[in-house]
Amino acid sequence: MKEDRGLTRRDFIRDTACAGMGVTLGMASAAPAPPSGQGKARVVVVRDAGALDDKNRTQSDVLERMLAEGITAFAGTATAAEAWKRYFRSDDVVVLKSNVMINPTRPEVVQAIMKGIGTVGIATDQIRVWDRNRGGVGPAQADPRNWEWTPGFDANSVSNAVAEATALVNVTSLKNHRLSGLGAALKNWCGAVTRINPMDLNVAFAFHGDSCADMGMLNAIPAIRKKCRLVVVDALRPLCNGAQLDPRYLWPYKGLVIGTDPVAVDSVCLKIVQGRRDQIKGGSWPLSPPPKHVAVAAEKYKLGTADLSQIEIVRLGWEENAFV
Amino acid sequence: MSAGEIPKRSAARPAFLLTRDLQLHVVRSLLPSVLVRRVWVLSLVLCVAVGCRDVQQGKVTPMETWKAKDVLPAEIDGRGPAAPPEVFVPSDLYKYLNGGAAAYLAYDFQELAVASYPIGSGNETVLVEIYRMGKSEDAFGLYSDGAEGEHPQVGQDASYGAGLLRFWKGYAFVRILWLSEESDPRDKIVAIGTDIDSRVPEAGKRPRLLRALPPEGLVADRAIYFHTVISLNQLYYLSDGNPLGLGAQTDAVFAEYEIGERAPKILVVRYTNEREAAMAFEKFEAVYLADRPPDGGSRRADDATSARIELLEDGLAVGMLRERQLLALCFEAEPIQAQALLDKTAALYRTEFGEDKKAGGE
């Protein structure tokens, strides 16, 4: 970041050109090594042309197969059952942080993850899902229309769902966002806290300024950072433009993006959304505002890597217009 | 929609006046001339009285006081809303739109009424959103960002694509989203829009600043009216912070052009006074061209105006022009294109706002 006068469009264009489309504002080279210190951050992009039908309805059997293949490839195990055991124990209370706003996470994705986690031996009522102050318990309540749980918030304005969980799963959807440029893994935690507003007036977490550059502060909340064991982004039908749901800019990518490093996941998601925007325009159509929070999450909050050269992207399945 | 275009429909008067006008015309053509004046006066009194009664009964509402909820359809395809309509005001709009609310609050948003109507036999619905704004210009502003697509004759401007109809009329911005598996709901959704259009009280004004845009090369549907830096960042991010000093009181238009092989962009801002415009010019110059101090050749300035064309590292120019309350910026253009676009913008602005280059502004 330019310390004295901030980042300008010129910096963005110049740095991106120098970095060979480094995607995350060209600041990626300054990002630290992956948190594990064991090489590149792995992100799996799994797609299947049959994941949605011609009316964009989720094909649950295909989706569950995609998820199994994806988690297996991500964990590097022989089977999906082994992969789930890599991240969850039978005595865990697992809470999925979903997203119900503007192109919400599909209930079928939540349900598939709940089923997968259930193979570890966790009781159905110990696997939950929530966003903001509503949620559901078990796969039968994967759909927000069936949510009956109201977890509430603690004195620090963080959802009680976080405290009640021994393990969290970040299950979000992929979209362009008018305040932050990108809505994916890092942004999803906005629905885990209360007392926030876009003007940052009298708030518990002031992150909206400068195009939400400090969004990473939410992922850096100790309980969230410590407990979040998996990130799954619903990229079945992402939104590449718009402040609201606009079907003109939804497209059937038919994918899931899986990882544990939220910054790496967002960097890959960013490349996918940017690819679609450029495809629509037949040239460069940069996300606006630029999603600074991805690079800032790496640099300032040390939440992961934004440097694509330090991310191992594992592509599985359908390859047409993958953009990564 | 092009700059300075006359609205598709003339400012419509309330229906009751049109009806009475027609009746008067018939009466006057039939009655002997000696009675005409008395009848005309009597009828006028009757019109006013009936009109006032209609307003009181909610049949006709002045555009400043109508409620978004009243514009919602009672039924669609013979079926009412699946749940009672919801109304959101600025303080709770986030409950409906979360982060998306900021895009609406950046304009003079007053209230939103939302209803979802069941259609078909399954869980399919059509979602209707009525946004009532404090100014017709701001209803246009919301519409203008995303106006691409087919343009059916609904409201003052409408765009349709992929099951989404958006239109504006008067103080209203309306979105109708068809959430069904029907392959081509276009005609049905336009019919719903036309029905809603008939209940929005009056047509409204477009932003005057649109008339400062040079029409040659202007890309259709890409002239967007706004006020704040949040909106600008969504359209064309320039820098951190708010060096242009944009806010609720500034009027701004961002427009895209196609000229030759280039795709220049113009940002036109009208400030409430000259001092703010001059400060914005200097701050933006300091931030955006920090590595290019003015050398005297690229910049010219006097009390009323400042101008600069600077070739950047990508081989394209940024152009800046400040004249009285006007600040115009041009990006991604050849230097000569930037100069021409800014000069034309300033000339059109002078014509529209009467801020003579030497005589001073408002």
Side-chain angles (χ1 to χ4, degrees):
Chain A
M1 304 285 283
K2 304 295 183 274
E3 292 175 3
D4 50 350
R5 60 182 175 82
L7 192 72
T8 71
R9 186 179 192 88
R10 286 180 62 202
D11 298 323
F12 175 38
I13 292 169
R14 189 168 44 219
D15 292 355
T16 299
C18 291
M21 194 53 201
V23 175
T24 49
L25 307 185
M27 294 182 288
S29 58
S36 66
Q38 297 174 0
K40 293 184 175 182
R42 177 178 290 181
V43 175
V44 170
V45 179
V46 54
R47 302 174 70 213
D48 193 309
L52 303 177
D53 68 9
D54 60 354
K55 292 176 178 172
N56 296 306
R57 291 176 297 204
T58 309
Q59 302 304 293
S60 292
D61 54 338
V62 178
L63 174 67
E64 288 176 15
R65 190 169 65 240
M66 285 167 62
L67 181 63
E69 290 174 4
I71 193 72
T72 304
F74 181 73
T77 55
T79 66
E82 290 175 50
W84 290 114
K85 285 180 181 171
R86 179 77 59 92
Y87 304 104
F88 305 99
R89 299 188 310 264
S90 59
D91 59 348
D92 269 327
V93 176
V94 184
V95 183
L96 283 62
K97 171 61 182 70
S98 185
N99 189 296
V100 299
M101 304 300 293
I102 307 174
N103 198 27
T105 313
R106 291 190 176 220
E108 296 90 343
V109 174
V110 171
Q111 193 165 48
I113 296 169
M114 286 178 151
K115 284 183 181 176
I117 292 171
T119 63
V120 173
I122 303 174
T124 300
D125 63 356
Q126 298 302 299
I127 306 173
R128 306 173 192 171
V129 60
W130 109 104
D131 186 23
R132 297 148 77 98
N133 198 25
R134 290 184 62 236
V137 179
Q141 290 188 12
D143 191 324
R145 288 174 293 190
N146 301 324
W147 285 2
E148 296 174 350
W149 178 37
T150 52
F153 295 90
D154 67 16
N156 295 316
S157 300
V158 178
S159 172
N160 291 326
V162 174
E164 292 178 26
T166 61
L168 294 167
V169 184
N170 186 342
V171 190
T172 190
S173 56
L174 180 54
K175 58 195 143 195
N176 168 225
H177 194 275
R178 287 300 182 97
L179 291 179
S180 60
L182 178 77
L186 289 163
K187 194 194 172 302
N188 194 31
W189 296 113
C190 293
V193 300
T194 190
R195 284 186 57 220
I196 56 174
N197 62 62
M199 303 307 293
D200 286 341
L201 298 173
N202 190 29
V203 294
F205 302 94
F207 60 85
H208 283 97
D210 193 13
S211 306
C212 302
D214 277 310
M215 186 97 73
M217 71 167 61
L218 301 177
N219 209 126
I221 292 170
I224 290 176
R225 187 172 191 171
K226 183 180 175 186
K227 293 180 180 180
C228 188
R229 299 192 191 160
L230 194 63
V231 180
V232 180
V233 178
D234 169 359
L236 292 170
R237 198 177 177 217
L239 177 69
C240 70
N241 186 51
Q244 274 187 273
L245 192 61
D246 186 336
R248 296 174 299 178
Y249 296 108
L250 292 167
W251 91 101
Y253 187 73
K254 302 177 182 178
L256 298 173
V257 183
I258 301 170
T260 51
D261 176 339
V263 185
V265 167
D266 272 13
S267 298
V268 172
C269 287
L270 180 51
K271 196 162 167 49
I272 293 168
V273 174
Q274 187 61 62
R276 176 58 176 170
R277 287 170 65 93
D278 293 349
Q279 184 184 48
I280 288 174
K281 286 279 184 180
S284 177
W285 186 21
L287 281 162
S288 198
K292 301 174 197 171
H293 65 279
V294 181
V296 172
E299 282 188 51
K300 182 176 177 180
Y301 294 98
K302 312 297 182 191
L303 291 168
T305 180
D307 184 350
L308 286 173
S309 71
Q310 295 300 311
I311 300 171
E312 176 195 5
I313 303 174
V314 180
R315 291 184 301 167
L316 302 173
W318 189 38
E319 293 189 352
E320 186 179 336
N321 290 323
F323 304 125
V324 289
Chain B
M1 201 282 305
S2 60
E5 181 192 11
I6 296 168
K8 285 177 188 168
R9 299 175 183 187
S10 59
R13 288 181 293 173
F16 73 89
L17 281 181
L18 295 175
T19 305
R20 301 304 186 279
D21 280 352
L22 184 60
Q23 289 174 346
L24 280 174
H25 175 76
V26 172
V27 168
R28 291 183 68 177
S29 65
L30 294 176
L31 289 175
S33 59
V34 290
L35 295 176
V36 166
R37 284 181 187 162
R38 289 181 186 173
V39 171
W40 192 91
V41 171
L42 189 62
S43 299
L44 184 63
V45 171
L46 183 64
C47 279
V48 172
V50 170
C52 291
R53 185 201 64 197
D54 286 350
V55 170
Q56 287 166 356
Q57 291 179 350
K59 292 179 183 174
V60 180
T61 312
M63 61 164 41
E64 294 85 355
T65 59
W66 61 273
K67 294 297 180 188
K69 196 174 173 181
D70 298 335
V71 177
L72 286 169
E75 294 181 340
I76 291 179
D77 270 357
R79 298 164 76 178
E86 291 184 278
V87 176
F88 300 91
V89 294
S91 61
D92 68 357
L93 184 62
Y94 73 93
K95 290 180 181 173
Y96 182 68
L97 287 170
N98 198 1
Y104 290 83
L105 297 174
Y107 293 88
D108 189 4
F109 168 80
Q110 300 293 309
E111 62 168 354
L112 161 67
V114 186
S116 183
Y117 300 79
I119 49 174
S121 54
N123 290 325
E124 299 157 4
T125 58
V126 58
L127 182 72
V128 179
E129 300 171 343
I130 313 284
Y131 296 83
R132 183 172 65 85
M133 310 302 291
K135 296 191 283 283
S136 64
E137 291 90 340
D138 281 7
F140 171 84
L142 281 178
Y143 168 79
S144 64
D145 185 10
E148 56 272 20
E150 181 201 344
H151 300 290
Q153 292 288 317
V154 182
Q156 290 183 252
D157 285 301
S159 68
Y160 174 79
L164 173 67
L165 177 71
R166 309 163 71 257
F167 75 88
W168 80 282
K169 178 185 177 185
Y171 287 32
F173 169 65
V174 178
R175 273 173 44 103
I176 307 169
L177 181 59
W178 194 273
L179 299 167
S180 93
E181 296 163 4
E182 189 162 343
S183 56
D184 186 14
R186 188 253 183 216
D187 291 346
K188 290 181 180 176
I189 204 168
V190 168
I192 296 168
T194 303
D195 171 56
I196 293 170
D197 177 3
S198 71
R199 282 189 297 280
V200 176
E202 295 178 50
K205 294 181 294 183
R206 289 162 204 272
R208 292 174 66 195
L209 200 55
L210 290 170
R211 299 189 184 121
L213 294 174
E216 301 85 9
L218 181 61
V219 177
D221 307 325
R222 293 303 296 162
I224 297 147
Y225 173 75
F226 64 98
H227 301 285
T228 72
V229 71
I230 286 177
S231 299
L232 175 62
N233 284 346
Q234 293 163 359
L235 296 168
Y236 197 74
Y237 170 84
L238 287 175
S239 72
D240 288 353
N242 184 16
L244 294 178
L246 298 176
Q249 301 305 314
T250 49
D251 290 340
V253 176
F254 175 78
E256 297 180 14
Y257 284 78
E258 287 178 359
I259 301 175
E261 295 181 353
R262 300 297 180 202
K265 279 81 179 170
I266 287 186
L267 173 62
V268 183
V269 185
R270 185 169 192 251
Y271 293 87
T272 53
N273 59 61
E274 292 185 30
R275 184 171 165 273
E276 287 180 4
M279 282 177 58
F281 184 99
E282 290 182 9
K283 279 191 178 178
F284 181 74
E285 186 177 42
V287 168
Y288 208 72
L289 298 173
D291 59 336
R292 312 270 181 113
D295 59 10
S298 62
R299 182 178 181 189
R300 51 194 165 84
D302 56 43
D303 286 348
T305 65
S306 308
R308 182 175 178 184
I309 303 288
E310 190 74 35
L311 194 62
L312 300 181
E313 53 279 347
D314 59 1
L316 297 173
V318 58
M320 307 170 59
L321 182 147
R322 197 275 299 180
E323 187 174 303
R324 299 294 177 192
Q325 292 166 242
L326 165 73
L327 176 66
L329 304 176
C330 181
F331 303 92
E332 300 182 43
E334 302 281 357
I336 194 167
Q337 292 172 335
Q339 184 73 62
L341 283 168
L342 293 179
D343 287 346
K344 287 177 187 171
T345 299
L348 290 166
Y349 176 86
R350 273 179 232 128
T351 302
E352 177 61 26
F353 291 97
E355 287 180 25
D356 186 82
K357 194 173 178 180
K358 295 177 182 175
E362 294 176 10

